Amino acid sequence: PPHHDGAELMFVLCFLPGEDRGFLILTRAMEGGKPNLALVYQAVQALYHDPDPAGKERASVWLGELQRSMYAWEISDQLLQLKQDVESCYFAAQTMKMKIQTSFYELPPETHNALRDSLLTHIQNLKDLSPIIVTQLALAIADLALQMASWKGCVHTLIEKYNNDISSMPFLIEILTVLPEEVHSRSLRIGANRRTEIIEDLAYYSSTVVTLLTTCVEKTGIDEKMFIKVFRCLGSWFNLGVLDTNFMASNQLLMVLFQVLQRDETSTNLHEAASDCVCSALYAIENVDTNMALALQLFQGVLTLETAYHMAVAREDLDKVLNYCRIFTELCETFLETTVRSPGQGMGDLRTLELLLICAGHPQYEVVEISFNFWYRLGEHLYKINDAALHTIFRPYIQRLLHCLARHCQLDPDHEGIPEDTDDFGEFRMRVSDLVKDVIFLVGSMECFSQLYSTLKEGNPSWEVTEAVLFIMAAIAKSVDPENNPTLSEVLQQVVLLPESVHMAVRYTSIELVGEMSEVVDRNPRFLDPVLNYLMKGLREKPLASAAAKAIHNICSVCRDHMAQHFQGLLDIARALDSFALSTEAAVGLLKGTALVLARLPLEKIAECLSDLCAVQVLALKKLLAEESTNGKSADPTVWLDRLAVIFRHTNPIVENGQTHPCQKVIQEIWPVLSETLNTHQADNRIVERCCRCLRFAVRCVGKGSASLLQPLVTQMVSVYQVYPHSCFLYLGSILVDEYGMEEGCRQGLLDMLQALCMPTFQLLEQQNGLRNHPDTVDDLFRLATRFVQRSPVTLLSSSIIVHIIQCAIAATSLDHRDANCSVMKFVRDLIHTGVANDHEEDFEVRKQLIGQAMEQHGQQLVTQLMHSCCFCLPPYTLPDVAEVLWEVMVFDRPTFCRWLENALKGLPKETSGGAVTVTHKQLTDFHKQVTSAEECKQVCWAIREFTRLFR
């Protein structure tokens, strides 16, 4: 039958009972592509009830195809009319919503009214079947209203139609809840003009909605479900920012909200809905000065909740406690500027901070965590203002906060072993550490550090208190001035004398503290030996090994010169790396530290020491290759490749001009092993990526000293890439162009490499959805092309491959992928810039002429595609890159660019499929003028940002 592929036929056979198969396949054929309703129903049943996962998957794929087809409109409408069961109605309602969101353009305008009436009939008929179906239909109606320009005053018509029927109230409120939420939905591209029109319309009817909600609460008495719906709806209108705040300040609903929150017997669900609503209201009055009446009501209302909070604590009702803390935090966030501007006066009342500190005293750490963002913002504000008198006012609050945080960081007294850093509590401690670093300036790092130390020195605290104090000390150690600081020296001295009998967690955190104090060691080299001895003890114990390795890495990074005398010790550790119980990250960190110290040795010693340092990894790789050739089993070499990569990356000695790079010989010796590893694992993208990464750092390490590798490396890259197009070869190619592109003798060879790599790349990207499916390849291809533009533009511009690269770039400008798009835009920008930037090189005129030819050929297409991409395909964060490209085109040839831009703008749609105006003639001419008269790139960027909002 027509429109019938194997998958669908297979589907029919899978889901139908034997006797029905022939009949339904015939029905399917007779209808010429539109699936029979019974077949769709069977598929939905299979999706929800087939015990075989493969059956479910087939049903899902087939129904997904159906949803994308034109038939979906009619079929979902019929399923909703049939009202057979919850599953089929949910599928149909969800399909309707999806079609309206993504495919509204499929319907001719004359069908819009019929669709609206049909949806309203369905929601009325299905209102008692299931709340999730009502929500899907409400979303469909809301999305239709937002797109259907001919449906004027939709809020008014809906309220008129249903407000007298109490049984319709739940779905009416559901529609009125989702309507404001959908205004800024990413799924709907209604454009700024239509959005502004809708927001004005909703603002106009907002008081009618609030009055409806108030009446609803009065009529239904204490109907909990209705209250929840009302609060959700009110919150949604607050979030859109369209409520008249003076009208709200004196509204009955506000009193009801706070009564519900003050009542001890309020249920959890209702409490959460009321809390969400208050938080939305507080968020909506962010600009306190222009919303004074409502701000005052909310401020006073929230302060009355302190008693209710204490009651929830007494009842151990954590859900309510968390809700109150959210409200208190939102209060503090909203009145932050007022509090800093006039602390202790009016709505700058510092009782707001007291509420947060009361919450910080709650035994559960999840409660205090809610307020972290506020404390961070308060710190940021006070740091910017930098007023000593203000600091004095807020210091006691921060001191009390730090005290609470130190207590919350304590491990359980019966905890065994080291602190976990990957569970929820471990993540909480990391967030505490970050917050402490951000607010410590208010208390003074040194003062705080000394106080913490004195609690350890003078008291006799339990192990868990000691560990928590050391943890906070580690967070602030780096911000304490290490210059002539006796306290720091004393702390370091005492920590390294800790006996091995103390709790494992205390030792672990003390090692972390030592690592954070590497600056102190650098200023006081006499501590180096005792510190290293202490860390070596840790390195030999399994639970402490990774922390000790990280601390040694820190000390190597900061004390590179002092550590040179200990290089032999580091080398011994590196040779025996796998005898310590280290995480992969810690092992690599140790090697990084070793390489940093190695680079400070005398030049004549570096080659030998580097060879020693690499030997372990090279031997391991050789062993794997030997095993492979004898027993054919492939073992994973990535550990050794990563270790070599980190050694090459951080061994960067200072080499004078004319001197041979000390690492050159070592890298030449290692090349055959890397080459063979690459060949052996050429089909495995992950391993090839690690090989390329290792080679990249090797080439970077010795720069021009790697010339002897160039020929064999390029030959191998190109030959493997023909069979396995791993994008990392393109990236490695860009490194080679960066290092050798300026060398006259290398340019032709590098161009040959580029052309050889481009052929398989274009084949890959020209497949269906090739650009979208291979963003890494796009990213790396244009990094390579950009390096060519930077290092040898004339070589590239004179070649035959440039036309294909530009064509590929124009096609890829619409790719919504952060890295790939960034690389494409940078390539086009840099390419055109070579014809703009007169750097007084002798080839400038040639470059200018070549760019002129390229622009003549591709300029109009480029500008049109860029305008289309930024209006319909790209997220806002990419627009500065687009602006830079347009700016370069304009600087190159402004009169021609004006013409190209005008043509591009003429091609944009002026109306939406719902009949709303997307862009007016005036908006088009204003934008054209703003761009073409811009005197700097950022003006182009602002213009594009504003203009593309019309299409979002």
Side-chain angles (χ1 to χ4, degrees):
H3 313 295
H4 208 312
D5 65 20
E8 287 187 336
L9 186 64
M10 180 70 203
F11 175 79
V12 175
L13 293 170
C14 294
F15 292 113
L16 297 177
E19 64 274 14
D20 289 345
R21 283 180 190 161
F23 165 69
L24 270 167
I25 291 170
L26 281 173
T27 317
R28 188 81 174 73
M30 281 159 51
E31 295 201 0
K34 181 180 145 196
N36 174 290
L37 207 56
L39 175 58
V40 177
Y41 184 70
Q42 296 263 9
V44 173
Q45 291 304 305
L47 180 67
Y48 287 101
H49 303 297
D50 192 325
D52 174 20
K56 277 186 192 295
E57 179 58 30
R58 280 195 295 270
S60 174
V61 170
W62 190 85
L63 289 168
E65 284 298 314
L66 171 65
Q67 285 182 316
R68 283 187 285 279
S69 76
M70 275 292 288
Y71 304 120
W73 295 102
E74 190 185 339
I75 283 170
S76 43
D77 190 50
Q78 289 172 341
L79 284 173
L80 289 166
Q81 273 172 18
L82 282 174
K83 198 176 168 181
Q84 223 157 345
D85 55 22
V86 172
E87 285 105 338
S88 62
C89 288
Y90 177 70
F91 168 75
Q94 190 199 29
T95 302
M96 227 9 138
K97 178 203 71 177
M98 199 180 92
K99 293 298 283 183
I100 290 171
Q101 280 183 347
T102 59
S103 312
F104 188 55
Y105 60 85
E106 291 177 353
L107 295 181
E110 60 271 18
T111 61
H112 294 173
N113 284 342
L115 175 62
R116 175 193 63 197
D117 298 343
S118 165
L119 287 171
L120 291 172
T121 306
H122 291 319
I123 200 167
Q124 180 133 31
N125 291 340
L126 298 163
K127 62 177 182 279
D128 302 322
L129 187 59
S130 160
I132 57 170
I133 293 170
V134 172
T135 300
Q136 292 298 312
L137 288 171
L139 283 163
I141 293 163
D143 292 340
L144 177 65
L146 296 176
Q147 294 181 89
M148 188 174 153
S150 60
W151 187 0
K152 305 284 183 201
C154 65
V155 172
H156 182 66
T157 44
L158 289 167
I159 292 176
E160 285 273 284
K161 186 168 174 140
Y162 298 113
N163 76 334
N164 293 323
D165 173 16
I166 196 77
S167 71
S168 301
M169 211 43 84
F171 76 74
L172 173 60
I173 292 179
E174 188 66 27
I175 298 171
L176 293 174
T177 303
V178 298
L179 186 63
E181 289 171 354
E182 289 295 285
V183 170
H184 292 290
S185 162
R186 295 241 173 111
S187 316
L188 298 176
R189 299 188 75 102
I190 54 177
N193 287 335
R194 174 67 179 152
R195 201 167 275 116
T196 304
E197 185 188 333
I198 290 160
I199 289 172
E200 285 170 1
D201 197 45
L202 294 183
Y204 183 76
Y205 290 112
S206 62
S207 303
T208 317
V209 173
V210 175
T211 307
L212 171 82
L213 296 178
T214 313
T215 313
C216 211
V217 164
E218 286 165 357
K219 274 187 187 170
T220 54
I222 301 291
D223 173 353
E224 185 184 304
K225 279 188 176 169
M226 187 51 84
F227 268 48
I228 290 173
K229 283 186 172 300
V230 166
F231 292 159
R232 270 193 57 224
C233 186
L234 183 61
S236 173
W237 286 74
F238 267 128
N239 286 335
L240 190 61
V242 291
L243 294 180
D244 177 338
T245 55
N246 289 329
F247 174 72
M248 284 312 301
S250 56
N251 189 273
Q252 184 70 25
L253 274 181
L254 213 57
M255 277 171 50
V256 176
L257 260 179
F258 284 110
Q259 282 166 3
V260 165
L261 288 168
Q262 283 158 354
R263 269 209 313 270
D264 185 32
E265 59 274 16
T266 298
S267 74
T268 305
N269 290 345
L270 180 55
H271 197 275
E272 184 172 9
S275 302
D276 289 343
C277 188
V278 171
C279 288
S280 297
L282 285 164
Y283 186 75
I285 56 154
E286 196 88 70
N287 191 346
V288 174
D289 300 338
T290 55
N291 300 298
M292 212 41 124
L294 181 57
L296 190 60
Q297 290 298 323
L298 289 168
F299 187 84
Q300 290 169 343
V302 174
L303 288 181
T304 65
L305 299 177
E306 186 182 340
T307 316
Y309 168 82
H310 288 301
M311 184 58 90
V313 173
R315 293 203 185 282
E316 295 186 0
D317 189 336
L318 185 60
D319 289 330
K320 286 187 181 177
V321 167
L322 292 167
N323 286 336
Y324 289 124
C325 188
R326 279 195 300 132
I327 294 171
F328 299 156
T329 303
E330 202 61 64
L331 177 78
C332 289
E333 295 249 18
T334 296
F335 292 98
L336 172 62
E337 293 194 15
T338 316
T339 311
V340 172
R341 197 171 54 224
S342 50
Q345 297 162 29
M347 286 188 275
D349 192 329
L350 294 171
R351 276 186 298 168
T352 54
L353 297 192
E354 289 290 347
L355 286 175
L356 280 198
L357 288 172
I358 290 170
C359 292
H362 191 280
Q364 301 282 74
Y365 70 83
E366 293 89 346
V367 180
V368 68
E369 195 168 15
I370 290 172
S371 65
F372 278 15
N373 191 55
F374 165 74
W375 293 113
Y376 166 73
R377 280 186 61 206
L378 175 66
E380 198 177 34
H381 250 70
L382 293 170
Y383 186 77
K384 279 180 186 162
I385 295 169
N386 195 16
D387 174 339
L390 268 183
H391 288 197
T392 309
I393 293 170
F394 289 98
R395 183 171 296 131
Y397 293 94
I398 300 295
Q399 280 171 328
R400 285 163 61 194
L401 174 70
L402 292 175
H403 185 76
C404 290
L405 292 176
R407 202 179 64 253
H408 279 297
C409 283
Q410 288 173 22
L411 298 162
D412 285 335
D414 56 358
H415 177 93
E416 291 180 1
I418 63 170
E420 280 294 327
D421 52 2
T422 50
D423 62 2
D424 288 348
F425 184 55
E427 284 178 13
F428 166 74
R429 286 182 21 134
M430 292 328 298
R431 289 193 65 197
V432 168
S433 176
D434 292 341
L435 178 61
V436 169
K437 288 176 179 133
D438 287 330
V439 298
I440 194 65
F441 72 93
L442 281 163
V443 180
S445 311
M446 189 57 229
E447 191 182 324
C448 184
F449 197 84
S450 302
Q451 276 177 358
L452 289 165
Y453 179 51
S454 64
T455 61
L456 296 182
K457 197 163 75 166
E458 289 157 21
N460 185 16
S462 58
W463 77 262
E464 69 274 14
V465 172
T466 303
E467 191 279 336
V469 169
L470 290 170
F471 177 77
I472 302 290
M473 287 169 77
I476 57 179
K478 274 189 178 151
S479 58
V480 181
D481 181 10
E483 214 44 78
N484 303 325
N485 195 321
T487 308
L488 285 177
S489 305
E490 191 183 330
V491 168
L492 199 54
Q493 250 166 331
Q494 292 304 314
V495 168
V496 299
L497 293 174
L498 274 176
E500 288 179 32
S501 56
V502 298
H503 193 287
M504 187 63 82
V506 174
R507 292 180 63 200
Y508 180 90
T509 304
S510 69
I511 286 172
E512 290 196 318
L513 173 59
V514 170
E516 292 297 308
M517 293 177 74
S518 42
E519 295 276 353
V520 183
V521 179
D522 194 42
R523 307 289 164 93
N524 302 279
R526 67 181 189 280
F527 290 139
L528 190 56
D529 284 3
V531 162
L532 288 175
N533 288 336
Y534 180 67
L535 295 178
M536 278 308 296
K537 274 185 209 161
L539 195 62
R540 292 190 189 98
E541 286 187 54
K542 187 176 178 179
L544 305 173
S546 291
K550 191 179 168 192
I552 293 172
H553 164 207
N554 279 354
I555 300 232
C556 290
S557 304
V558 175
C559 319
R560 287 169 75 171
D561 293 322
H562 298 308
M563 282 299 291
Q565 59 184 340
H566 291 279
F567 182 75
Q568 192 53 49
L570 289 171
L571 192 57
D572 292 342
I573 294 172
R575 283 184 180 137
L577 210 50
D578 292 310
S579 66
F580 304 109
L582 297 175
S583 67
T584 312
E585 189 189 355
V588 166
L590 253 179
L591 288 173
K592 176 185 170 182
T594 309
L596 289 170
V597 175
L598 167 63
R600 291 295 167 94
L601 297 180
L603 274 189
E604 64 277 5
K605 283 194 171 176
I606 289 180
E608 184 192 344
C609 293
L610 178 64
S611 187
D612 285 350
L613 188 56
C614 295
V616 182
Q617 343 303 328
V618 175
L619 283 172
L621 287 172
K622 281 181 176 168
K623 191 176 166 201
L624 292 183
L625 291 167
E627 283 169 10
E628 173 118 11
S629 61
T630 52
N631 62 19
K633 280 189 181 165
S634 172
D636 187 348
T638 52
V639 169
W640 314 105
L641 292 169
D642 288 351
R643 289 180 184 181
L644 279 175
V646 81
I647 294 168
F648 296 144
R649 184 177 191 172
H650 297 286
T651 305
N652 39 20
I654 297 154
V655 182
E656 302 294 328
N657 269 346
Q659 286 181 309
T660 306
H661 198 290
C663 306
Q664 190 176 319
K665 183 167 165 286
V666 182
I667 286 170
Q668 282 167 355
E669 286 165 5
I670 291 174
W671 157 248
V673 183
L674 293 177
S675 172
E676 199 183 334
T677 304
L678 178 55
N679 249 347
T680 305
H681 298 279
Q682 56 181 276
D684 187 324
N685 183 55
R686 190 177 63 93
I687 296 175
V688 172
E689 241 176 28
R690 301 305 236 289
C691 276
C692 286
R693 189 168 170 273
C694 189
L695 286 162
R696 161 195 165 192
F697 290 124
V699 170
R700 286 291 194 209
C701 173
V702 293
K704 304 278 185 296
S706 59
S708 61
L709 302 186
L710 196 54
Q711 184 69 48
L713 175 55
V714 169
T715 308
Q716 185 172 2
M717 279 164 56
V718 168
S719 94
V720 175
Y721 192 77
Q722 305 299 319
V723 191
Y724 300 107
H726 303 299
S727 73
C728 51
F729 287 126
L730 299 170
Y731 188 87
L732 187 52
S734 73
I735 302 296
L736 296 175
V737 172
D738 195 37
E739 290 290 344
Y740 294 100
M742 309 280 276
E743 304 287 310
E744 193 56 56
C746 299
R747 284 175 173 172
Q748 187 55 47
L750 290 170
L751 181 65
D752 293 343
M753 172 193 79
L754 172 68
Q755 289 178 319
L757 292 173
C758 274
M759 289 311 147
T761 305
F762 291 152
Q763 281 170 2
L764 189 69
L765 299 180
E766 280 163 10
Q767 293 169 4
Q768 193 177 3
N769 294 328
L771 293 165
R772 198 179 321 140
N773 294 341
H774 304 283
D776 294 349
T777 301
V778 176
D779 182 12
D780 292 331
L781 171 67
F782 287 102
R783 279 174 190 266
L784 169 56
T786 304
R787 289 292 192 202
F788 240 112
V789 169
Q790 292 164 345
R791 293 285 174 257
S792 185
V794 175
T795 311
L796 180 63
L797 284 163
S798 316
S799 70
S800 57
I801 197 79
I802 187 65
V803 175
H804 305 287
I805 294 177
I806 292 174
Q807 285 289 348
C808 184
I810 291 172
T813 53
S814 61
L815 185 59
D816 175 9
H817 182 280
R818 190 182 286 265
D819 295 339
N821 195 279
C822 184
S823 287
V824 172
M825 295 298 176
K826 182 163 174 46
F827 163 71
V828 182
R829 182 208 159 278
D830 286 8
L831 184 75
I832 301 165
H833 190 70
T834 54
V836 173
N838 189 353
D839 42 18
H840 306 294
E841 296 277 336
E842 63 272 17
D843 66 353
F844 174 65
E845 286 306 322
V846 181
R847 289 192 329 241
K848 190 174 173 182
Q849 187 187 350
L850 289 167
I851 293 294
Q853 289 165 5
M855 292 311 292
E856 203 175 310
Q857 204 175 346
H858 307 285
Q860 178 68 71
Q861 191 193 356
L862 172 66
V863 173
T864 303
Q865 180 73 18
L866 282 173
M867 285 314 303
H868 183 272
S869 295
C870 59
C871 289
F872 300 109
C873 311
L874 299 178
Y877 66 77
T878 60
L879 297 182
D881 296 342
V882 176
E884 285 195 357
V885 175
L886 291 173
W887 172 254
E888 291 296 339
V889 178
M890 185 161 73
V891 173
F892 185 75
D893 182 349
R894 200 175 281 251
T896 312
F897 171 75
C898 292
R899 202 170 62 248
W900 287 340
L901 182 61
E902 187 182 339
N903 293 337
L905 295 177
K906 279 179 184 166
L908 292 173
K910 313 296 182 282
E911 267 194 10
T912 65
S913 46
V917 174
T918 304
V919 56
T920 64
H921 180 70
K922 183 177 185 310
Q923 285 169 326
L924 285 169
T925 51
D926 285 354
F927 171 67
H928 188 276
K929 189 179 175 188
Q930 283 165 351
V931 173
T932 53
S933 62
E935 288 178 12
E936 50 185 344
C937 183
K938 66 180 174 195
Q939 292 170 316
V940 176
C941 187
W942 290 333
I944 291 180
R945 215 173 270 268
E946 282 308 306
F947 183 71
T948 52
R949 285 197 180 118
L950 300 171
F951 297 87
R952 285 189 200 288

